[in-house]
Amino acid sequence: MGTFLQDLRFAFRNLRRTPAFPIAAIATLALGVGATTAIFSTVNAALLRPLPYPNANDLYSMRTTLTDGRLTTGFLAPNEVLRLNLGGAPSLVKAVGLQPFDLTLMKDDATPIKTRVFGVSEGFFEMFGLPMTLGGFMPQHFVQQNGPPPGVVISTRIWQNMFNSDPQMVGKPIRFAELSTTCLGIANPAFDTPHNADFWAPISLPPDAVGHNLEGFMRVKPGTDIERAKSEMNSVMLGLAKDFPASAKNRVYVVKPVVEQIVGDLGPILIIVLLSTGLLLALACVNVTNLLLARGAARAREMAVRVALGAGRGRIVRQLLTESILLATAGTLLGLGIAYAGIRLLLRMSAGTLPRLETVPFDSTVLLFALGAMLVTGLLVGFAPALRLAGTDVKTLMNESGRSASGGKSTARWLNAMTIAEVALAITLVAGAGWLIRGFDTLRKTNPGFVAEKRLIIDANLVGPKFPNPPAVIAAYQDLMDRIRAIGGVEAVGLTSSFPLRGTQENSLFIVPNGEAFNEANPKGSRQRVVSKGLFEAMGVKLVAGRDFDSSDQPPPPPPPGQPGQPNQPPQPNPQTQSAIVNTAFVRRHLEGRDPLTVTFQSGYPNINRNLTINIVGVVDDIRQKSIGEAAEPAYYTPITQAAQRRQTIVVSTKGEDSAAIRGAIREEIRKTDPTMAVDFESVPELVAGTLKRQELGMTLMLLFGVAAVLLAAVGIYGVIAYASAQRRNEVATRLALGATPGTVFWLVLKQGRTLAIIGTAIGLALAYGAGRIVSSQLYAVNASDPTILGGATALVAVIALIATTVPAWRASRIDPSKVLRPE
């Protein structure tokens, strides 16, 4: 311990004598450690921080998919949840289903608040393992019954903010505009599934229900191999396929950890950025190593004297590593400050609105990571100088310290290797930034199929005695649209059951065009959406062929009344017709070579409704419904007059910019229709931009890292070439004295930097291409061999390297031989 403290004091005094060197080294390391720690903090918060549930690693989310490429919602059917709990998958403790519903909560002062209630199956809260604060669901609450749910569980947040933490809350009424119910319990304060949920209601799961509208969760037994659990689940699905072939054939469960389901595509982006900061830290280490190598050559005489006086090689190596650890410690402490400031900046850049990034704590995991980075950095930057000195004899050390020496071949080789590494790492980082910029730019420029600018959306739901039946709902919506359309500044208005990019659950139906038979092995499928006349105009969607819906698209006639005296007689067939507008994806996949305006089709799930014939009256451009990065699926649109739905999204296109006056006028018209409706506006441009936040965050970070990499590489290359030039001052002066021109000297020095840059470029291109192959599957429209990205990264780093080499080359060519060669 005493020897270590002696080494530490000596290192501190030694560094203090030349303050420029430690300042440059500490600043460089602080940049690398700070950036890496900041991003690790973000990764820790989003991916590594445990969920607040006991044995959270045993919790998984469940979806389904079809292996034959057919369309599906991707959710689960009630029978697919129930079968997992019947013993066919012994590795599972419990499987549960969840389904969202939009309701309007009425405050005591009659203020409506739009809320989302999540229907959950029996055992939902018990599976997650957190005890209730108060009350809870009982088995009888899940018995199938008509009417509203027997009650709801509310979040601690709602209990505190709206009910003043009333300890007698259980059993008291809760009023929604759509229904009145009772509080059955208060959830645990830490319970947060789904994220920011406030209300949960019990739902029953009919054993023969095949509609895929549930999100699934499951818990496996501790120590279970998830692949074994998947195998058991696939066996359950095979059994379902025998009993329900139309819905379960070629269907498989898709299982992933709950954390991955919450974070979504943010996870891969953060991992890519974290790996990039690792490269940036490596680049910073290379730079500091260069500084230490150059400084080691200048201290060669000191080391030679210490060896001659009896200092062992291990003692000298330990002293040098102590100095590097001291630099790394100072760099890490400063880097933690940079990391903290960087995280605050990230949160202000809207990263805090992304899942699990509401807070990014500097917890013990982050501090341990910073400690590890400090130790690794200290060893890395001190390894090369220590290794060089450990293998060099006293005579060589003395020669390297001579005034006419060139610094030693060993030092030159290490410096050249470090310079090549800098160029290679810089190209890889710049290429990575280029890929994320390209991916984000391509996404941003991708046509979503609708116009976002100057559009507002409002969720509406017409319930209550004023709207007792579908005709009343249709009439109220049509009257509301007419009144909104008459507001000054409003250009067009429409309704849709499923606005793009909002994750709304949609019907996925089988379809059979006229003249074709139902293909049980590979049935055709389509999404179904309910819209109003004028919706496509309001959204800026192009009508490719045919017409929009109009007054001729009347509701189908009611079914014929039963025979008098025979109330139990089965209903008689009642053939009906309906109009539909299809998208171009529907035409491409299902109607190739046919004129869509002459086609009729039938649809249904799990069986085709043979009593309904649908006439195609128009074709519209594709709309990217799920995300901008996913191509449109086949879809047909049904007029609200023929498929009335109480819940709709109102789309308003304005003539000019959005204004408070227009919003106020729209709100007033909606309140005239239904004063209990919660009116919340959402800007469509903000909605679209919000779907790209993850990609924008990754692009911004990589752009900053790319700039930092270029600057570090420039400084490093400049330092190496300047050091080499300084070591060759006598040689250069002699050449000039013997008749060499300044131009010859310039190109002589430049050649050294050019050779290193060429080698580093070749290695950097290989590294960049390999990294691109790894990350391209996680980025939108990115090609690892994209010549623009690779060529641009190479050109940028090459230009920076050329500039960094040109300055010391020019300075070398301006040496005055008479001053350099003057006798001492």
Side-chain angles (χ1 to χ4, degrees):
M1 186 66 180
T3 304
F4 172 74
L5 292 176
Q6 181 182 0
D7 288 341
L8 194 62
R9 286 193 296 269
F10 181 80
F12 181 76
R13 288 197 303 270
N14 193 40
L15 292 174
R16 190 174 59 180
R17 283 199 297 266
T18 55
F21 164 73
I23 288 174
I26 291 170
T28 302
L29 291 176
L31 175 62
V33 172
T36 308
T37 304
I39 300 305
F40 177 80
S41 307
T42 310
V43 172
N44 176 58
L47 301 178
L48 304 180
R49 184 173 46 170
L51 293 168
Y53 309 116
N55 301 315
N57 290 335
D58 296 332
L59 292 171
Y60 292 85
S61 72
M62 293 188 297
R63 296 287 179 93
T64 65
T65 189
L66 291 167
T67 58
D68 54 14
R70 290 184 287 127
L71 289 182
T72 178
T73 63
F75 294 101
L76 287 87
N79 61 357
E80 293 166 357
V81 176
L82 286 175
R83 287 284 182 96
L84 292 174
N85 293 318
L86 295 180
S91 295
L92 272 63
V93 175
K94 185 70 176 178
V96 297
L98 175 148
Q99 184 177 11
F101 303 94
D102 290 321
L103 295 178
T104 305
L105 179 68
M106 304 301 296
K107 297 179 67 175
D108 291 339
D109 60 359
T111 301
I113 301 175
K114 185 174 70 174
T115 62
R116 175 156 280 198
V117 178
F118 294 91
V120 297
S121 64
E122 187 173 0
F124 179 80
F125 287 101
E126 292 80 359
M127 187 202 70
F128 282 95
L130 286 179
M132 303 294 291
T133 300
L134 291 174
F137 293 138
M138 302 296 290
Q140 61 267 28
H141 295 145
F142 296 91
V143 177
Q144 187 172 3
Q145 55 187 328
N146 297 323
V152 295
V153 166
I154 65 176
S155 69
T156 299
R157 178 173 53 250
I158 287 291
W159 180 48
Q160 293 172 341
N161 295 341
M162 294 194 62
F163 301 104
N164 299 315
S165 302
D166 182 0
Q168 307 300 319
M169 187 65 204
V170 175
K172 290 189 176 181
I174 295 180
R175 187 165 68 94
F176 296 94
E178 297 83 355
L179 55 91
S180 293
T181 187
T182 303
C183 175
L184 295 177
I186 314 297
N188 190 287
F191 194 87
D192 192 34
T193 300
H195 182 54
N196 283 337
D198 285 321
F199 298 91
W200 297 267
I203 58 173
S204 60
L205 302 182
D208 57 350
V210 296
H212 289 82
N213 52 17
L214 296 175
E215 186 172 352
F217 296 91
M218 70 180 195
R219 180 183 285 276
V220 300
K221 295 178 180 178
T224 296
D225 179 6
I226 190 60
E227 294 304 320
R228 176 183 174 182
K230 289 179 182 178
S231 177
E232 296 171 356
M233 295 168 71
N234 288 336
S235 297
V236 171
M237 187 64 79
L238 290 175
L240 284 165
K242 295 177 181 178
D243 299 334
F244 304 93
S247 65
K249 184 179 179 181
N250 297 323
R251 188 179 293 275
V252 295
Y253 291 101
V254 178
V255 177
K256 62 174 63 175
V258 171
V259 168
E260 290 185 18
Q261 183 263 341
I262 294 172
V263 174
D265 58 359
L266 175 63
I269 291 175
L270 288 178
I271 295 298
I272 291 171
V273 174
L274 180 62
L275 293 175
S276 299
T277 58
L279 293 180
L280 184 66
L281 179 58
L283 187 55
C285 290
V286 168
N287 254 18
V288 177
T289 301
N290 278 346
L291 290 173
L292 285 170
L293 282 168
R295 191 166 181 268
R299 296 174 63 190
R301 183 181 294 276
E302 171 198 338
M303 297 301 168
V305 171
R306 296 184 68 182
V307 170
L309 292 176
R313 301 286 181 180
R315 185 77 172 79
I316 292 177
V317 168
R318 191 173 63 203
Q319 176 64 53
L320 292 174
L321 288 178
T322 300
E323 291 185 13
S324 65
I325 291 292
L326 182 60
L327 292 172
T329 301
T332 299
L333 292 175
L334 180 58
L336 285 174
I338 294 174
Y340 184 82
I343 290 171
R344 302 280 76 77
L345 181 61
L346 283 179
L347 295 178
R348 295 188 65 177
M349 289 168 55
S350 299
T353 62
L354 297 175
R356 286 176 57 84
L357 291 185
E358 299 88 350
T359 59
V360 182
F362 250 51
D363 57 16
S364 57
T365 303
V366 175
L367 294 178
L368 283 174
F369 174 85
L371 177 62
M374 179 190 74
L375 293 175
V376 171
T377 301
L379 293 175
L380 285 178
V381 299
F383 176 75
L387 184 64
R388 187 189 73 83
L389 288 172
T392 308
D393 57 30
V394 176
K395 181 179 178 181
T396 303
L397 287 172
M398 292 297 292
N399 287 338
E400 285 192 11
S401 67
R403 186 167 181 254
S404 62
S406 63
K409 292 182 179 181
S410 177
T411 300
R413 283 194 298 267
W414 276 103
L415 288 171
N416 291 343
M418 295 296 104
T419 304
I420 291 170
E422 284 190 297
V423 174
L425 291 173
I427 288 177
T428 305
L429 276 170
V430 173
W435 285 320
L436 266 75
I437 293 171
R438 168 64 61 84
F440 176 75
D441 186 60
T442 303
L443 270 177
R444 190 168 50 86
K445 292 180 179 178
T446 297
N447 179 13
F450 61 92
V451 178
E453 289 70 25
K454 302 178 183 179
R455 264 81 180 171
L456 294 170
I457 54 177
I458 311 103
D459 291 324
N461 188 23
L462 298 182
V463 296
K466 290 178 61 177
F467 318 103
N469 50 44
V473 171
I474 294 170
Y477 271 129
Q478 289 178 332
D479 177 65
L480 176 60
M481 285 192 294
D482 289 340
R483 286 186 281 112
I484 292 177
R485 196 176 291 113
I487 295 173
V490 172
E491 189 170 53
V493 182
L495 303 174
T496 177
S497 62
S498 179
F499 194 83
L501 308 181
R502 302 182 84 196
T504 307
Q505 290 189 14
E506 297 184 301
N507 289 336
S508 183
L509 306 178
F510 297 140
I511 66 108
V512 179
N514 63 300
E516 298 183 16
F518 181 68
N519 185 345
E520 292 186 0
N522 189 23
K524 295 181 177 180
S526 174
R527 303 292 189 199
Q528 181 198 29
R529 299 161 191 157
V530 177
V531 302
S532 73
K533 172 189 175 182
L535 181 276
F536 299 117
E537 178 188 0
M539 290 182 63
V541 178
K542 181 181 178 182
L543 186 67
V544 177
R547 63 172 176 84
D548 195 358
F549 296 124
D550 58 27
S551 58
S552 65
D553 303 305
Q554 296 299 318
Q563 297 291 331
Q566 298 178 344
N568 296 324
Q569 179 179 347
Q572 299 298 311
N574 179 33
Q576 300 176 1
T577 60
Q578 194 177 76
S579 300
I581 295 174
V582 300
N583 65 358
T584 55
F586 187 103
V587 176
R588 285 193 308 270
R589 185 175 298 189
H590 302 320
L591 305 178
E592 185 176 359
R594 303 175 67 178
D595 179 1
L597 299 182
T598 66
V599 173
T600 62
F601 65 93
Q602 295 176 312
S603 67
Y605 185 86
N607 300 308
I608 298 296
N609 182 1
R610 297 297 182 181
N611 288 328
L612 179 63
T613 299
I614 304 172
N615 301 307
I616 298 177
V617 300
V619 180
V620 293
D621 262 346
D622 289 336
I623 296 174
R624 297 195 171 220
Q625 191 77 15
K626 290 184 177 180
S627 71
I628 294 180
E630 293 185 60
E633 297 172 319
Y636 73 90
Y637 300 86
T638 303
I640 189 175
T641 54
Q642 297 181 349
Q645 291 186 358
R646 295 181 179 275
R647 186 170 302 283
Q648 295 287 321
T649 298
I650 305 171
V651 183
V652 180
S653 171
T654 61
K655 297 178 182 178
E657 295 301 322
D658 181 17
S659 68
I662 291 178
R663 293 194 179 200
I666 294 173
R667 180 179 285 106
E668 184 63 29
E669 296 301 333
I670 292 175
R671 292 283 168 81
K672 289 179 183 177
T673 300
D674 184 0
T676 67
M677 190 185 303
V679 182
D680 295 324
F681 293 90
E682 186 170 6
S683 164
V684 177
E686 291 179 2
L687 169 65
V688 174
T691 66
L692 302 179
K693 280 184 180 178
R694 295 164 170 82
Q695 291 80 7
E696 184 178 23
L697 176 64
M699 178 205 68
T700 303
L701 291 173
M702 284 298 297
L703 186 59
L704 292 174
F705 298 155
V707 171
V710 169
L711 292 176
L712 286 175
V715 171
I717 294 169
Y718 171 83
V720 169
I721 301 302
Y723 170 78
S725 299
Q727 294 298 310
R728 299 176 65 182
R729 280 172 58 84
N730 284 355
E731 175 194 343
V732 169
T734 301
R735 287 175 178 269
L736 290 171
L738 294 176
T741 64
T744 303
V745 171
F746 176 84
W747 289 110
L748 177 68
V749 177
L750 194 67
K751 180 181 178 181
Q752 180 185 7
R754 182 190 64 187
T755 302
L756 298 178
I758 291 174
I759 298 173
T761 297
I763 297 174
L765 282 173
L767 287 175
Y769 177 75
R773 291 289 299 272
I774 295 173
V775 305
S776 59
S777 61
Q778 306 294 336
L779 302 176
Y780 180 70
V782 166
N783 181 6
S785 59
D786 187 336
T788 304
I789 300 297
L790 295 178
T794 302
L796 177 61
V797 175
V799 169
I800 296 299
L802 178 63
I803 295 172
T805 306
T806 299
V807 175
W810 180 83
R811 292 177 62 185
S813 69
R814 311 302 296 177
I815 288 177
D816 184 351
S818 62
K819 294 182 179 179
V820 175
L821 300 176
R822 180 184 303 161
E824 294 182 354

